[in-house]
Amino acid sequence: MEQILFRHNKPNRCVTFDEYRAEGGFSALAKALKELSPDQVQQAVIDSGLRGRGGAGFPTGKKWSFLARNVPGPRWLICNSDEMEPGTYKDRTLLEANPYLLLEGIALTSYAIGVSHAFIFIRRGYEQAAANLRRGVAECRQAGLVGENILGSGFSCEIDVHVSAGRYICGEETALMNALEGKRANPRSKPPFPAIKGLWGGPTVVNNVESLSNIPAIISNGAEWFKAFGRIPEAAGTKLFCVSGHVSTCACFELPMGISLGEIIEGPCNGMRPDSRFKACLPGGASTPYFTEEHWNVPMDFDAVAKAGSRLGTGGIVVFDQNTCMVAATLNLVRFYARESCGWCTPCREGLPYVVNLLEEIENGRGSEEYIAILRDHINLLKYAFCALALGAMGPVEGLLKHFQDEVREHIAKGKCPFKK
Ligand SMILES: Cc1cc2nc3c(=O)[nH]c(=O)nc-3n(C[C@H](O)[C@H](O)[C@H](O)COP(=O)(O)O)c2cc1C
């Protein structure tokens, strides 16, 4: 299959600046600066149907169009590379193989939305990716692709690489802006949305690494070309699916948007491990409700996955086999979220440890029917938390109660975990 994001990848090493340029890299930027107006770049992205790859799937071009116009002072672009969702490693894979696509995407986006300073907010721990980006920015600066008067066009854009202090909440776009401003990383209330009042009060676009890395190909090849990658009519482009768990081959694959879950597992993942049978998976990262065998043929696209009761999220697929205790798996995930709660709002700060406690009791055979009812209440209650962290934390709990209620009840009836020998 023709690829968009992994097109320049080399085996076991990062592509070099010279290779990327020799293979047509930065020609989309040159083309845009010479032939296209910022509005034309924006329109191409709107027409392409590209939806944000950071989790929520919001249409990228539409998000750009919300940016406040004619306001005094600077406007900003932030590339979100915080990637701390358990089971998600697509941005790291991309940046370790090729930082230039992102840098070109950032320059194009900055041109389209009138930004002269962009930040890449990268997770602490992604040392190799951050080093690639820093080296890439320096190479681009030397070649006149970053900084003042890019390619003699009169357009200028600085790119800064900022290493996060390292908490999951820093990936939430408003908490991220607080972190960049040097403040405590708690989320801000929305509205005002970042497009109106974001970083240092200026209009701001926040986009994910994978979203921005798609922009050069869209500008080079056009919206229709991009759309044609989708497996089903409403799906556009490719998607990075990073797979882990009980499959034979765990890796990050670039596949057509809308490919079915079963095709991913039977195809590039080479099926389940020997002696493993598919039981369930997180289809889009740790905050998405489980899929089971009945979802084998669901197209992995934002709308189709939502219609089937979950979320495409980040495309981080975690596969569980028949020997997995789904209560224990869910407990493990919610423990992560409880630990990562920023503590800013009460429902999340107090609610998640309470949910952990309920799940621990069930897992250890000390639960009751009432616990199931309380867990159900908390799925609703935590929708009222300040940001989407707690909502996401309850995704697996929702899946557990929807698809594995019998397993939960077995823990209660037996007074112990049926998976423990
Ligand atoms: C708790 C939390 C953590 C998040 N972490 C990330 C992250 O690591 N990377 C990311 O791109 N988006 C993350 N998001 C989503 C961002 O808030 C934002 O929607 C996204 O960066 C927008 O980019 P996109 O439109 O290109 O998808 C997170 C959201 C929440 C609620």
Side-chain angles (χ1 to χ4, degrees):
M1 183 200 103
E2 199 185 347
Q3 295 191 304
I4 300 175
L5 300 165
F6 286 173
R7 189 160 43 114
H8 303 277
N9 284 14
K10 308 290 173 238
N12 303 321
R13 67 172 174 87
C14 183
V15 65
T16 66
F17 179 71
D18 290 341
E19 283 168 338
Y20 181 71
R21 286 206 86 176
E23 293 170 18
F26 291 104
S27 58
L29 180 63
K31 171 181 165 178
L33 294 180
K34 209 166 166 192
E35 297 168 20
L36 303 175
S37 68
D39 282 350
Q40 283 173 314
V41 175
Q42 195 171 126
Q43 193 57 48
V45 176
I46 292 173
D47 294 343
S48 74
L50 174 67
R51 294 177 64 167
R53 306 307 201 219
F58 194 83
T60 304
K62 194 168 170 188
K63 181 186 272 191
W64 296 359
S65 73
F66 292 153
L67 206 66
R69 290 178 184 239
N70 305 322
V71 282
R75 43 180 54 211
W76 310 98
L77 170 66
I78 303 172
C79 169
N80 191 344
S81 184
D82 203 48
E83 192 163 67
M84 226 180 118
E85 176 109 342
T88 300
Y89 55 93
K90 67 186 182 69
D91 296 341
R92 190 191 80 202
T93 307
L94 189 51
L95 293 175
E96 288 184 356
N98 181 359
Y100 306 108
L101 261 186
L102 175 64
L103 296 174
E104 186 173 5
I106 287 176
L108 278 162
T109 306
S110 301
Y111 175 66
I113 62 178
V115 158
S116 55
H117 203 136
F119 292 93
I120 302 169
F121 188 92
I122 189 163
R123 174 180 171 178
R124 181 168 294 278
Y126 278 14
E127 276 108 4
Q128 188 58 60
N132 288 355
L133 284 166
R134 287 211 181 91
R135 188 185 65 248
V137 170
E139 289 164 327
C140 287
R141 188 182 304 284
Q142 192 139 43
L145 296 160
V146 163
E148 290 289 315
N149 191 20
I150 294 176
L151 297 175
S153 64
F155 167 67
S156 303
C157 183
E158 284 300 330
I159 302 178
D160 267 322
V161 180
H162 178 92
V163 176
S164 162
R167 294 308 297 263
Y168 177 67
I169 191 62
C170 294
E172 195 283 333
E173 58 186 10
T174 60
L176 186 160
M177 293 187 299
N178 274 345
L180 255 186
E181 290 180 13
K183 297 178 183 143
R184 175 180 159 172
N186 53 258
R188 300 175 180 177
S189 60
K190 290 191 271 191
F193 288 93
I196 307 299
K197 197 169 177 220
L199 191 63
W200 293 299
T204 304
V205 165
V206 182
N207 273 137
N208 172 259
V209 171
E210 186 185 347
S211 315
L212 292 170
S213 298
N214 273 300
I215 309 299
I218 293 172
I219 299 308
S220 287
N221 303 294
E224 294 307 316
W225 174 88
F226 183 77
K227 270 189 187 158
F229 280 86
R231 263 299 168 80
I232 51 171
E234 56 273 30
T238 60
K239 176 82 195 80
L240 297 181
F241 292 102
C242 42
V243 191
S244 57
H246 299 132
V247 288
S248 294
T249 306
C250 296
C252 181
F253 309 105
E254 180 176 13
L255 298 168
M257 184 69 98
I259 188 173
S260 73
L261 173 65
E263 280 175 285
I264 298 175
I265 295 176
E266 281 170 348
C269 294
N270 294 308
M272 298 293 292
R273 287 187 196 168
D275 302 325
S276 277
R277 265 184 298 108
F278 178 84
K279 178 176 184 179
C281 75
L282 294 159
S287 58
T288 58
Y290 299 114
F291 266 2
T292 61
E293 246 176 17
E294 71 182 88
H295 303 105
W296 198 251
N297 295 319
V298 172
M300 296 295 279
D301 163 67
F302 291 103
D303 293 340
V305 173
K307 209 166 140 206
S310 190
R311 290 190 303 107
L312 185 69
T314 59
I317 302 176
V318 185
V319 179
F320 304 104
D321 74 4
Q322 76 280 8
N323 296 320
T324 311
C325 169
M326 297 311 291
V327 176
T330 308
L331 169 62
N332 189 37
L333 294 166
V334 185
R335 266 192 192 132
F336 166 82
Y337 289 110
R339 194 190 69 215
E340 289 297 325
S341 170
C342 75
W344 182 248
C345 76
T346 311
C348 182
R349 183 184 64 241
E350 305 294 327
L352 290 181
Y354 186 54
V355 171
V356 166
N357 195 255
L358 293 169
L359 289 168
E360 269 169 0
E361 290 294 282
I362 294 174
E363 171 60 7
N364 291 318
R366 293 191 295 261
S368 70
E369 269 300 311
E370 201 191 350
Y371 282 49
I372 299 179
I374 301 173
L375 280 176
R376 245 184 238 303
D377 277 352
H378 275 70
I379 293 171
N380 280 324
L381 280 171
L382 287 170
K383 288 183 184 151
Y384 299 99
F386 197 79
C387 81
L389 187 149
L391 181 81
M394 296 308 281
V397 182
E398 195 184 324
L400 177 75
L401 298 188
K402 192 166 168 194
H403 301 295
F404 298 101
Q405 222 177 110
D406 288 350
E407 200 170 302
V408 174
R409 292 218 162 91
E410 210 184 331
H411 281 75
I412 296 168
K414 288 195 168 146
K416 69 181 190 87
C417 171
F419 291 87
K420 279 189 189 139
K421 295 279 177 311

